[in-house]
Amino acid sequence: MTKVIMHGCNGKMGRTITEIIAADEGIEIVAGVDAFDEGINSYPVFSSIGLCDIEADAIIDFSNAKAIDGLLDYCAQRKMPCVLCTTGLSEVQLSRIKEVAKETAMLKSANMSLGVNMLLKLLKEAAGILAPAGFDIEIVEKHHSLKVDAPSGTALALADSINEELGNEYEYVYDRSTRREKRPQKEIGISAVRGGTIVGDHDVIFAGTDEVITFSHSAYTKAIFAKGAVQAAKFLAGKPAGLYDMSHVIG
C-alpha cells in the first residue's frame, strides 16, 4: 500500500485524485494540504505542508506556484519523493527542483497523461524512420477558449521529442503568414486552435509524397492527468534520489 500526501487536495485536480485513489486498493491518501478546507475529506488536511507531521511514501502536488517553495523545502528536509504536477513555475523554482532531486526522488513531466507519454515514445521511432524519407512534420493542437498560452506545453513536448530524435536540427514555426516561400524540410510547424470547451486534442502529422500518417491524442476530461499522477506516485515511492519523468513510469 502506497501512502501519499495530497498537496492541493481541495482544488479540482486534488478532488479528482481523491476520488480515484478512494477506488484503488494499492494506494491511499493519509493527509492533505490546502489553504482552504471545508472539512469534507476523509483524511486530515493541513493549511501548509510545513505543518504536516504524518508519515507517507510520496507527495502528489497539484497546487500553485506560490506553494512550491515550501513544498520543495519540505521534500529536501524529509527526503520525501514528490510528483510535481503544478505548472507555471519560475526558472528559479525549476532549478531548485533539480537541486532537491539530488536529495530525494522528484518526478515532473510536461503532461501527466499516460497516453500522451506513450505518444512521445512512439513519435521518436516514427521520426527516425519518416523524416529521413522526406516526410514533413506538422503539429496541430486544440484547446478550450479559456486557455491563455499557445502553443500548449504538450505540443512543444511532442515537437521536442521528435527534434531530439533528429539531432535537434529542426526549427519550430508558429506562423507562416509573413512568408512567401517554399516550406523548408527541416522545420516543424505548430498550429494552435482555441474554442469552446475542448479539453485537449493533439495531432502530429507526417506528410510524405502520396501518403500521410497522423498520430492523434484526445483528452475528454482532465481525469486522465489525475490517473497519470496516481500511477507516478506508485512508481516513485521507494525510488532513489533523482529527477524522473513520465517516460520512466511507462518504461
Side-chain angles (χ1 to χ4, degrees):
M1 174 70 74
T2 302
K3 297 181 178 181
V4 299
I5 296 169
M6 184 63 233
H7 191 249
C9 63
N10 290 330
K12 289 183 179 179
M13 294 304 295
R15 292 183 185 277
T16 300
I17 289 173
T18 297
E19 293 175 0
I20 290 172
I21 289 180
D24 190 329
E25 295 180 354
I27 187 170
E28 68 171 327
I29 299 177
V30 294
V33 177
D34 205 293
F36 305 97
D37 183 38
E38 299 175 352
I40 61 174
N41 296 297
S42 61
Y43 47 79
V45 177
F46 300 86
S47 59
S48 70
I49 188 65
L51 298 176
C52 181
D53 58 359
I54 295 179
E55 295 296 323
D57 300 309
I59 296 173
I60 299 177
D61 164 68
F62 261 110
S63 57
N64 59 70
K66 292 181 180 179
I68 295 302
D69 293 335
L71 175 62
L72 294 177
D73 289 342
Y74 182 92
C75 291
Q77 292 167 5
R78 302 205 175 201
K79 303 294 188 292
M80 177 71 73
C82 183
V83 178
L84 282 162
C85 304
T86 295
T87 58
L89 304 184
S90 68
E91 290 300 320
V92 173
Q93 289 173 320
L94 293 173
S95 296
R96 174 68 173 143
I97 291 169
K98 294 178 181 179
E99 290 300 313
V100 176
K102 297 176 182 178
E103 304 294 330
T104 188
M106 305 292 286
L107 187 147
K108 181 169 177 55
S109 282
N111 188 300
M112 296 305 296
S113 158
L114 293 173
V116 165
N117 283 280
M118 178 59 73
L119 180 57
L120 291 170
K121 187 175 182 179
L122 293 172
L123 286 175
K124 286 183 175 291
E125 182 177 0
I129 296 171
L130 299 175
F135 281 68
D136 296 320
I137 306 167
E138 297 282 317
I139 298 173
V140 180
E141 58 98 340
K142 306 172 188 175
H143 284 85
H144 52 85
S145 60
L146 299 179
K147 187 172 178 62
V148 296
D149 58 313
S152 68
T154 299
L156 291 173
L158 295 170
D160 288 344
S161 183
I162 293 168
N163 210 9
E164 287 169 9
E165 182 67 22
L166 302 177
N168 291 309
E169 295 180 352
Y170 279 59
E171 175 189 5
Y172 299 167
V173 176
Y174 309 104
D175 180 17
R176 296 191 178 95
S177 64
T178 61
R179 297 193 325 190
R180 294 292 183 272
E181 62 185 44
K182 178 183 176 182
R183 181 194 195 281
Q185 184 175 353
K186 289 192 174 182
E187 75 174 29
I188 299 175
I190 306 177
S191 303
V193 175
R194 295 290 175 268
T197 58
I198 302 171
V199 175
D201 288 354
H202 292 85
D203 292 328
V204 182
I205 303 163
F206 290 88
T209 302
D210 299 328
E211 61 179 334
V212 175
I213 300 170
T214 302
F215 292 82
S216 297
H217 180 274
S218 295
Y220 296 109
T221 74
K222 291 185 178 181
I224 63 170
F225 310 123
K227 292 176 182 177
V230 172
Q231 290 299 113
K234 291 180 179 180
F235 164 85
L236 202 63
K239 288 292 187 295
L243 187 58
Y244 300 82
D245 58 34
M246 288 298 288
S247 68
H248 296 102
V249 178
I250 65 174

